[in-house]
Amino acid sequence: MSSDSELRDLYQEVILDHNKRPRNFRVMEDANHRADGHNPLCGDRVTVFVRLAGDRIEDVSFQGSGCAISKASASLMTDSVKGQSLGDVDTLFQGFQLMVTSAPDTDVETDSLGKLAVLAGVREFPSRVKCASLAWHALRAALKDSSQVAAIVSTE
Ligand code: ZN
């Protein structure tokens, strides 16, 4: 098992990588759900595109501009939810929210979160929690929206 500081460096590296080379960073022309998210505190903007087939996320992508945390989080999110059922996505979201909003000195279960666990560090920086959750809120808004009209979600 690595030391805490080694783990932190590793996590940092994953976040930097996803910021520099975001996965699924594109407009999806045939999306059947989408939503725009805005975090006015930091200026992050994200549009999440989803192609939902029945109860499963067949494809997901995002576009936008913002800080490294918001971009890396959106990138990690799309990687994590692609191919998942809505129920699984909901479970991931609940786990993620719990992780980033829990007190820094408490133990939090991250085993089920996979790569998303690299964002656990944001809970030490309350102003960053909204950056990390923005894409998730946009995803949830997109999935709730049954029309193709863009829903707009703001973290404030
Ligand atoms: Zn931000």
Side-chain angles (χ1 to χ4, degrees):
M1 192 65 196
S2 315
S3 73
D4 274 4
S5 72
E6 277 172 342
L7 271 181
R8 257 201 296 277
D9 288 349
L10 177 71
Y11 283 7
Q12 184 81 1
E13 219 166 90
V14 174
I15 290 170
L16 291 176
D17 176 52
H18 275 263
N19 174 50
K20 216 158 106 184
R21 301 186 303 119
R23 320 300 196 264
N24 309 299
F25 188 69
R26 62 192 155 82
V27 172
M28 194 193 303
E29 299 295 345
D30 59 347
N32 51 17
H33 293 261
R34 60 169 282 182
D36 297 318
H38 179 214
N39 172 18
L41 282 179
C42 180
D44 309 314
R45 287 185 183 279
V46 67
T47 301
V48 172
F49 302 87
V50 180
R51 195 167 69 240
L52 196 63
D55 157 74
R56 195 161 293 277
I57 293 186
E58 203 171 60
D59 200 7
V60 56
S61 68
F62 78 103
Q63 275 274 288
S65 59
C67 67
I69 294 291
S70 70
K71 211 167 182 182
S73 180
S75 173
L76 286 157
M77 179 193 79
T78 56
D79 255 4
S80 302
V81 303
K82 197 185 278 196
Q84 304 278 347
S85 72
L86 292 180
D88 291 342
V89 170
D90 205 52
T91 305
L92 273 177
F93 171 75
Q94 308 290 351
F96 180 80
Q97 272 300 98
L98 194 65
M99 176 182 79
V100 296
T101 57
S102 59
D105 55 351
T106 56
D107 276 338
V108 63
E109 197 272 312
T110 55
D111 291 351
S112 59
L113 293 175
K115 273 185 298 186
L116 297 172
V118 300
L119 288 160
V122 301
R123 63 194 184 144
E124 289 170 49
F125 309 95
S127 64
R128 288 297 185 186
V129 171
K130 286 183 174 178
C131 302
S133 340
L134 179 64
W136 284 94
H137 288 296
L139 174 71
R140 304 247 303 167
L143 293 175
K144 247 185 249 162
D145 177 23
S146 57
S147 72
Q148 295 191 11
V149 179
I152 297 171
V153 64
S154 170
T155 52
E156 273 207 332

